[in-house]
Amino acid sequence: MDLASASQLKSSEDDADQICNKSIVVPHRVIALNSSFEKKDRSWYVKSQIPNDLSIQVDDITFQAHKFPLITKCGYISNTELHPSPSGNGYHLKLENFPGGAETFETILKFCYGLQIDLNPLNVATLRCASEYLYMTEEFQEGNLISKTDGFITFVVLASWRDTLTVLRSCASLSPWADNLQIVRRCCDLLAWKACNDDNHDIPEDADNNERSLYNGIANLQLDHFMRVVTTINARKAKPEIIGRLIMKYAENWLPLIDEDLEGIRGYGSGDNELQFSVERGRTEKSSLGCQEQKRIIESLVSVLPTQPGAVVPCQFLLRLLKTAIVYSASPALISDLENRVGMALEDANVYDLLILNFKSEDQQKGARSPEEYTIYNVDVVHRIFEYFLIHEQQHQQQHQQVQGGKPSITKLLDNYLSQIAKDPYLSITKFQVLAEMLPESSWKCHDGLYRAIDMFLKSHPLLSEHDRRRLCKTMNCEKLSRDACLHAAQNDRLPLRTIVQVLFSEQVKMRMMMMQDKQAAETNEENPEGREDKGTSRESEVRTLKEELENVKRKMAELQDDYNELQQENEKLKSSKQKSTQNWGILRWQKMKKSFQIKEDDDETRDTPRRRSSTGPTTSLRRRMSMS
């Protein structure tokens, strides 16, 4: 089997189809291969009437050949001092780190003996490096292998970007020879030029498969070669959409999907006061790329990301990169850069993309002390993302001199995110409140979403104190609740009593304002009695329904107040019973002390009776006289 057929069997069918018509046969003397070479065990023998006088070892294979055909074309063998063979038959030479190995040397040996060889994109880079190793220049023979391989690369390979991709893939195992011979640079320049040229024609997404396969082919390259192509495209000042498209395609091919490749979170230990989670990397650890390689890919991709926000790289892709960087413990500077980029494009984010799991190794879980470290979601990362968003918004408003106003998409995103993380039983009230107060008050037009998140938090944390409940409800403005939200809040037992009173008061104020507006409208619409009657009836029906609902709320409020008063009375009774018990204990102790001294007092009284009678006699007689008079 010749080298061309062996290479084609190893390559894919597409590559074989692409290069089948792009090969050059280099003949000198057409000799049947079966009658020229013979393989025995781990050795190749050149069959000839002249005995072999040179054995060349490449890797673990030995080639038994003749000295003369090799020294006439290979400068390396010609200039190397040959040592006698251990077997005593001629000379022996060992080629260390030969490009392409024994298979490539077999092809070169055929060329030196004048047999036909087949140059194609699969083997031309290897033969070019091997011929450079052996110094097969024009000095030794005209039309030597270096000039033939150079011509094939220049006039055949670089004329087609598909053949260029094939050659560049074959250069992955030829470092540093392919770099020093400028094969990699020339291929990368051609691919970068082709990518820029295709984009200048505004190729749509549903273009022909041949055009789109250029980006697929570049995205399947080795990381070093891919980075050189992207750097060359960037140096040509091409559109940032080209780089963004290539980076997203490369990440799709080489980076794992966090939601699919990771088996996720599972509880491996739970108790009354702790809940531990571990991350099982599953298929990620079993993949061919290790953690360090994945980390290097992420750092490389982030370093060439376009700086333009928005349409160049979607926010969903940036969040995917951020999650992967956190899982593989990327540097803090890289994570901060990704957070900043996500903050710039936060308006296009989805709430489910913001749910970044709190990935921790088992060692980190064992070292965790506070319950907050067992939270399901990484709230700190999202907090920093919103901080970057606010910084960019302030800069944008200062540059364009705009009045600060809220964006409905951002407030809705924060409401939905708070509703999702509120279900975590180990989320602290401080983190929840700080995140809820991130946006300015002017950004919120309605607090229904925030009320739903607060209610979910109170439901998931039933052991909160009354003080913490009031503190949490202060983040909500009752005046910005809709009528349905007010009705739900007025009947919500989880809310503190003060918040329910505020809700009722705000609803009453709204009703009064509506009645005032009805009165003003009635005064202004006196000229149109028909329209006034229609509007009046509709307004009256609305006011009537509002009054009925308000009465129901007041009735519920009165019941709550009665329950509260009963609780206070029971509390006072408990306090008074405690005080009485303490007083009774003191009286009993005093009576015991008094009994101990009672005998002594009786003796003193018996001794003092004659004295008391004599001393009280005149006074009693004087009182009797005064009473008679």
Side-chain angles (χ1 to χ4, degrees), residues 480-503:
K480 293 186 177 182
L481 293 177
S482 64
R483 189 176 68 178
D484 296 335
C486 287
L487 289 175
H488 187 274
Q491 301 175 4
N492 194 347
D493 297 335
R494 290 184 288 270
L495 296 179
L497 187 60
R498 181 178 297 180
T499 305
I500 296 176
V501 173
Q502 291 177 355
V503 170

PDB file of all heavy atoms in Angstrom, residues 480-503:
ATOM      1  N   LYS A 480     -47.669  51.542  44.679  1.00  0.00           N
ATOM      2  CA  LYS A 480     -47.432  51.073  43.321  1.00  0.00           C
ATOM      3  C   LYS A 480     -47.975  49.668  43.078  1.00  0.00           C
ATOM      4  O   LYS A 480     -47.606  49.023  42.096  1.00  0.00           O
ATOM      5  CB  LYS A 480     -45.933  51.099  43.016  1.00  0.00           C
ATOM      6  CG  LYS A 480     -45.350  52.507  42.964  1.00  0.00           C
ATOM      7  CD  LYS A 480     -43.898  52.497  42.507  1.00  0.00           C
ATOM      8  CE  LYS A 480     -43.360  53.915  42.387  1.00  0.00           C
ATOM      9  NZ  LYS A 480     -41.964  53.938  41.909  1.00  0.00           N
ATOM     10  N   LEU A 481     -48.828  49.200  43.967  1.00  0.00           N
ATOM     11  CA  LEU A 481     -49.461  47.899  43.782  1.00  0.00           C
ATOM     12  C   LEU A 481     -50.760  48.056  42.997  1.00  0.00           C
ATOM     13  O   LEU A 481     -51.495  49.033  43.179  1.00  0.00           O
ATOM     14  CB  LEU A 481     -49.748  47.242  45.126  1.00  0.00           C
ATOM     15  CG  LEU A 481     -48.538  46.825  45.972  1.00  0.00           C
ATOM     16  CD1 LEU A 481     -49.006  46.265  47.299  1.00  0.00           C
ATOM     17  CD2 LEU A 481     -47.684  45.811  45.233  1.00  0.00           C
ATOM     18  N   SER A 482     -51.054  47.098  42.170  1.00  0.00           N
ATOM     19  CA  SER A 482     -52.313  47.115  41.436  1.00  0.00           C
ATOM     20  C   SER A 482     -53.464  46.724  42.369  1.00  0.00           C
ATOM     21  O   SER A 482     -53.262  46.327  43.518  1.00  0.00           O
ATOM     22  CB  SER A 482     -52.233  46.161  40.248  1.00  0.00           C
ATOM     23  OG  SER A 482     -52.070  44.827  40.702  1.00  0.00           O
ATOM     24  N   ARG A 483     -54.675  46.827  41.860  1.00  0.00           N
ATOM     25  CA  ARG A 483     -55.835  46.529  42.699  1.00  0.00           C
ATOM     26  C   ARG A 483     -55.874  45.059  43.081  1.00  0.00           C
ATOM     27  O   ARG A 483     -56.179  44.711  44.228  1.00  0.00           O
ATOM     28  CB  ARG A 483     -57.122  46.915  41.952  1.00  0.00           C
ATOM     29  CG  ARG A 483     -58.363  46.846  42.823  1.00  0.00           C
ATOM     30  CD  ARG A 483     -59.578  47.336  42.066  1.00  0.00           C
ATOM     31  NE  ARG A 483     -59.921  46.418  40.990  1.00  0.00           N
ATOM     32  CZ  ARG A 483     -60.966  46.577  40.188  1.00  0.00           C
ATOM     33  NH1 ARG A 483     -61.739  47.625  40.328  1.00  0.00           N
ATOM     34  NH2 ARG A 483     -61.213  45.706  39.235  1.00  0.00           N
ATOM     35  N   ASP A 484     -55.539  44.167  42.141  1.00  0.00           N
ATOM     36  CA  ASP A 484     -55.515  42.740  42.465  1.00  0.00           C
ATOM     37  C   ASP A 484     -54.457  42.426  43.510  1.00  0.00           C
ATOM     38  O   ASP A 484     -54.681  41.618  44.422  1.00  0.00           O
ATOM     39  CB  ASP A 484     -55.260  41.926  41.196  1.00  0.00           C
ATOM     40  CG  ASP A 484     -56.392  42.069  40.196  1.00  0.00           C
ATOM     41  OD1 ASP A 484     -57.526  42.366  40.634  1.00  0.00           O
ATOM     42  OD2 ASP A 484     -56.150  41.886  38.988  1.00  0.00           O
ATOM     43  N   ALA A 485     -53.293  43.061  43.376  1.00  0.00           N
ATOM     44  CA  ALA A 485     -52.233  42.828  44.353  1.00  0.00           C
ATOM     45  C   ALA A 485     -52.637  43.363  45.730  1.00  0.00           C
ATOM     46  O   ALA A 485     -52.330  42.747  46.759  1.00  0.00           O
ATOM     47  CB  ALA A 485     -50.938  43.488  43.887  1.00  0.00           C
ATOM     48  N   CYS A 486     -53.340  44.498  45.774  1.00  0.00           N
ATOM     49  CA  CYS A 486     -53.797  45.049  47.057  1.00  0.00           C
ATOM     50  C   CYS A 486     -54.805  44.114  47.727  1.00  0.00           C
ATOM     51  O   CYS A 486     -54.763  43.906  48.948  1.00  0.00           O
ATOM     52  CB  CYS A 486     -54.408  46.434  46.841  1.00  0.00           C
ATOM     53  SG  CYS A 486     -53.205  47.724  46.477  1.00  0.00           S
ATOM     54  N   LEU A 487     -55.722  43.559  46.938  1.00  0.00           N
ATOM     55  CA  LEU A 487     -56.709  42.640  47.510  1.00  0.00           C
ATOM     56  C   LEU A 487     -56.027  41.385  48.059  1.00  0.00           C
ATOM     57  O   LEU A 487     -56.393  40.892  49.133  1.00  0.00           O
ATOM     58  CB  LEU A 487     -57.727  42.251  46.433  1.00  0.00           C
ATOM     59  CG  LEU A 487     -58.698  43.362  46.002  1.00  0.00           C
ATOM     60  CD1 LEU A 487     -59.566  42.886  44.846  1.00  0.00           C
ATOM     61  CD2 LEU A 487     -59.566  43.784  47.170  1.00  0.00           C
ATOM     62  N   HIS A 488     -55.031  40.899  47.345  1.00  0.00           N
ATOM     63  CA  HIS A 488     -54.303  39.724  47.830  1.00  0.00           C
ATOM     64  C   HIS A 488     -53.492  40.049  49.081  1.00  0.00           C
ATOM     65  O   HIS A 488     -53.436  39.257  50.035  1.00  0.00           O
ATOM     66  CB  HIS A 488     -53.393  39.191  46.730  1.00  0.00           C
ATOM     67  CG  HIS A 488     -52.729  37.894  47.070  1.00  0.00           C
ATOM     68  ND1 HIS A 488     -51.545  37.832  47.778  1.00  0.00           N
ATOM     69  CD2 HIS A 488     -53.073  36.598  46.806  1.00  0.00           C
ATOM     70  CE1 HIS A 488     -51.188  36.576  47.938  1.00  0.00           C
ATOM     71  NE2 HIS A 488     -52.098  35.800  47.357  1.00  0.00           N
ATOM     72  N   ALA A 489     -52.876  41.221  49.084  1.00  0.00           N
ATOM     73  CA  ALA A 489     -52.046  41.603  50.230  1.00  0.00           C
ATOM     74  C   ALA A 489     -52.890  41.839  51.478  1.00  0.00           C
ATOM     75  O   ALA A 489     -52.462  41.542  52.599  1.00  0.00           O
ATOM     76  CB  ALA A 489     -51.232  42.844  49.896  1.00  0.00           C
ATOM     77  N   ALA A 490     -54.094  42.396  51.301  1.00  0.00           N
ATOM     78  CA  ALA A 490     -54.949  42.668  52.458  1.00  0.00           C
ATOM     79  C   ALA A 490     -55.403  41.388  53.148  1.00  0.00           C
ATOM     80  O   ALA A 490     -55.716  41.406  54.352  1.00  0.00           O
ATOM     81  CB  ALA A 490     -56.157  43.489  52.024  1.00  0.00           C
ATOM     82  N   GLN A 491     -55.424  40.278  52.434  1.00  0.00           N
ATOM     83  CA  GLN A 491     -55.849  39.001  52.999  1.00  0.00           C
ATOM     84  C   GLN A 491     -54.679  38.041  53.231  1.00  0.00           C
ATOM     85  O   GLN A 491     -54.890  36.864  53.497  1.00  0.00           O
ATOM     86  CB  GLN A 491     -56.871  38.348  52.062  1.00  0.00           C
ATOM     87  CG  GLN A 491     -58.102  39.201  51.829  1.00  0.00           C
ATOM     88  CD  GLN A 491     -59.041  38.594  50.815  1.00  0.00           C
ATOM     89  OE1 GLN A 491     -58.808  37.500  50.331  1.00  0.00           O
ATOM     90  NE2 GLN A 491     -60.112  39.299  50.493  1.00  0.00           N
ATOM     91  N   ASN A 492     -53.463  38.544  53.112  1.00  0.00           N
ATOM     92  CA  ASN A 492     -52.270  37.712  53.252  1.00  0.00           C
ATOM     93  C   ASN A 492     -51.843  37.668  54.715  1.00  0.00           C
ATOM     94  O   ASN A 492     -51.437  38.686  55.291  1.00  0.00           O
ATOM     95  CB  ASN A 492     -51.137  38.270  52.379  1.00  0.00           C
ATOM     96  CG  ASN A 492     -50.004  37.287  52.207  1.00  0.00           C
ATOM     97  OD1 ASN A 492     -49.918  36.288  52.916  1.00  0.00           O
ATOM     98  ND2 ASN A 492     -49.123  37.565  51.245  1.00  0.00           N
ATOM     99  N   ASP A 493     -51.929  36.504  55.329  1.00  0.00           N
ATOM    100  CA  ASP A 493     -51.564  36.367  56.743  1.00  0.00           C
ATOM    101  C   ASP A 493     -50.063  36.420  56.971  1.00  0.00           C
ATOM    102  O   ASP A 493     -49.620  36.629  58.103  1.00  0.00           O
ATOM    103  CB  ASP A 493     -52.105  35.039  57.299  1.00  0.00           C
ATOM    104  CG  ASP A 493     -53.621  34.994  57.261  1.00  0.00           C
ATOM    105  OD1 ASP A 493     -54.226  36.090  57.270  1.00  0.00           O
ATOM    106  OD2 ASP A 493     -54.187  33.889  57.202  1.00  0.00           O
ATOM    107  N   ARG A 494     -49.271  36.243  55.898  1.00  0.00           N
ATOM    108  CA  ARG A 494     -47.818  36.252  56.069  1.00  0.00           C
ATOM    109  C   ARG A 494     -47.258  37.652  56.213  1.00  0.00           C
ATOM    110  O   ARG A 494     -46.146  37.844  56.704  1.00  0.00           O
ATOM    111  CB  ARG A 494     -47.141  35.533  54.898  1.00  0.00           C
ATOM    112  CG  ARG A 494     -47.372  34.034  54.879  1.00  0.00           C
ATOM    113  CD  ARG A 494     -46.605  33.379  53.753  1.00  0.00           C
ATOM    114  NE  ARG A 494     -47.202  33.684  52.461  1.00  0.00           N
ATOM    115  CZ  ARG A 494     -48.142  32.945  51.878  1.00  0.00           C
ATOM    116  NH1 ARG A 494     -48.614  31.870  52.498  1.00  0.00           N
ATOM    117  NH2 ARG A 494     -48.633  33.266  50.701  1.00  0.00           N
ATOM    118  N   LEU A 495     -47.995  38.653  55.755  1.00  0.00           N
ATOM    119  CA  LEU A 495     -47.522  40.036  55.843  1.00  0.00           C
ATOM    120  C   LEU A 495     -47.716  40.575  57.258  1.00  0.00           C
ATOM    121  O   LEU A 495     -48.674  40.199  57.950  1.00  0.00           O
ATOM    122  CB  LEU A 495     -48.268  40.923  54.846  1.00  0.00           C
ATOM    123  CG  LEU A 495     -48.074  40.623  53.367  1.00  0.00           C
ATOM    124  CD1 LEU A 495     -48.908  41.583  52.525  1.00  0.00           C
ATOM    125  CD2 LEU A 495     -46.609  40.723  52.971  1.00  0.00           C
ATOM    126  N   PRO A 496     -46.848  41.480  57.705  1.00  0.00           N
ATOM    127  CA  PRO A 496     -47.059  42.109  59.018  1.00  0.00           C
ATOM    128  C   PRO A 496     -48.276  43.019  59.010  1.00  0.00           C
ATOM    129  O   PRO A 496     -48.718  43.493  57.959  1.00  0.00           O
ATOM    130  CB  PRO A 496     -45.760  42.885  59.253  1.00  0.00           C
ATOM    131  CG  PRO A 496     -45.164  43.069  57.914  1.00  0.00           C
ATOM    132  CD  PRO A 496     -45.579  41.903  57.094  1.00  0.00           C
ATOM    133  N   LEU A 497     -48.810  43.291  60.190  1.00  0.00           N
ATOM    134  CA  LEU A 497     -50.042  44.070  60.300  1.00  0.00           C
ATOM    135  C   LEU A 497     -49.857  45.487  59.786  1.00  0.00           C
ATOM    136  O   LEU A 497     -50.759  46.053  59.159  1.00  0.00           O
ATOM    137  CB  LEU A 497     -50.502  44.084  61.761  1.00  0.00           C
ATOM    138  CG  LEU A 497     -51.870  44.717  62.034  1.00  0.00           C
ATOM    139  CD1 LEU A 497     -52.961  43.968  61.284  1.00  0.00           C
ATOM    140  CD2 LEU A 497     -52.157  44.735  63.528  1.00  0.00           C
ATOM    141  N   ARG A 498     -48.720  46.075  60.026  1.00  0.00           N
ATOM    142  CA  ARG A 498     -48.476  47.449  59.575  1.00  0.00           C
ATOM    143  C   ARG A 498     -48.516  47.532  58.052  1.00  0.00           C
ATOM    144  O   ARG A 498     -49.051  48.504  57.493  1.00  0.00           O
ATOM    145  CB  ARG A 498     -47.123  47.916  60.098  1.00  0.00           C
ATOM    146  CG  ARG A 498     -46.772  49.343  59.702  1.00  0.00           C
ATOM    147  CD  ARG A 498     -45.445  49.759  60.295  1.00  0.00           C
ATOM    148  NE  ARG A 498     -45.492  49.759  61.746  1.00  0.00           N
ATOM    149  CZ  ARG A 498     -44.457  50.077  62.523  1.00  0.00           C
ATOM    150  NH1 ARG A 498     -43.294  50.399  61.970  1.00  0.00           N
ATOM    151  NH2 ARG A 498     -44.565  50.066  63.826  1.00  0.00           N
ATOM    152  N   THR A 499     -47.965  46.522  57.368  1.00  0.00           N
ATOM    153  CA  THR A 499     -47.993  46.534  55.906  1.00  0.00           C
ATOM    154  C   THR A 499     -49.414  46.412  55.379  1.00  0.00           C
ATOM    155  O   THR A 499     -49.788  47.069  54.395  1.00  0.00           O
ATOM    156  CB  THR A 499     -47.128  45.380  55.363  1.00  0.00           C
ATOM    157  OG1 THR A 499     -45.812  45.480  55.903  1.00  0.00           O
ATOM    158  CG2 THR A 499     -47.047  45.425  53.854  1.00  0.00           C
ATOM    159  N   ILE A 500     -50.247  45.596  56.036  1.00  0.00           N
ATOM    160  CA  ILE A 500     -51.640  45.459  55.610  1.00  0.00           C
ATOM    161  C   ILE A 500     -52.378  46.786  55.767  1.00  0.00           C
ATOM    162  O   ILE A 500     -53.168  47.190  54.905  1.00  0.00           O
ATOM    163  CB  ILE A 500     -52.333  44.351  56.422  1.00  0.00           C
ATOM    164  CG1 ILE A 500     -51.672  42.998  56.111  1.00  0.00           C
ATOM    165  CG2 ILE A 500     -53.818  44.284  56.104  1.00  0.00           C
ATOM    166  CD1 ILE A 500     -52.206  41.854  56.929  1.00  0.00           C
ATOM    167  N   VAL A 501     -52.111  47.501  56.854  1.00  0.00           N
ATOM    168  CA  VAL A 501     -52.735  48.815  57.057  1.00  0.00           C
ATOM    169  C   VAL A 501     -52.300  49.786  55.973  1.00  0.00           C
ATOM    170  O   VAL A 501     -53.117  50.557  55.437  1.00  0.00           O
ATOM    171  CB  VAL A 501     -52.383  49.347  58.464  1.00  0.00           C
ATOM    172  CG1 VAL A 501     -52.877  50.771  58.622  1.00  0.00           C
ATOM    173  CG2 VAL A 501     -52.998  48.465  59.533  1.00  0.00           C
ATOM    174  N   GLN A 502     -51.026  49.754  55.608  1.00  0.00           N
ATOM    175  CA  GLN A 502     -50.549  50.632  54.535  1.00  0.00           C
ATOM    176  C   GLN A 502     -51.210  50.309  53.208  1.00  0.00           C
ATOM    177  O   GLN A 502     -51.548  51.211  52.433  1.00  0.00           O
ATOM    178  CB  GLN A 502     -49.031  50.508  54.415  1.00  0.00           C
ATOM    179  CG  GLN A 502     -48.264  51.080  55.587  1.00  0.00           C
ATOM    180  CD  GLN A 502     -46.772  50.866  55.463  1.00  0.00           C
ATOM    181  OE1 GLN A 502     -46.311  50.199  54.533  1.00  0.00           O
ATOM    182  NE2 GLN A 502     -46.010  51.420  56.397  1.00  0.00           N
ATOM    183  N   VAL A 503     -51.415  49.037  52.948  1.00  0.00           N
ATOM    184  CA  VAL A 503     -52.084  48.639  51.704  1.00  0.00           C
ATOM    185  C   VAL A 503     -53.513  49.152  51.674  1.00  0.00           C
ATOM    186  O   VAL A 503     -53.989  49.707  50.666  1.00  0.00           O
ATOM    187  CB  VAL A 503     -52.039  47.105  51.549  1.00  0.00           C
ATOM    188  CG1 VAL A 503     -52.929  46.659  50.396  1.00  0.00           C
ATOM    189  CG2 VAL A 503     -50.617  46.636  51.316  1.00  0.00           C
TER     190      VAL A 503
END
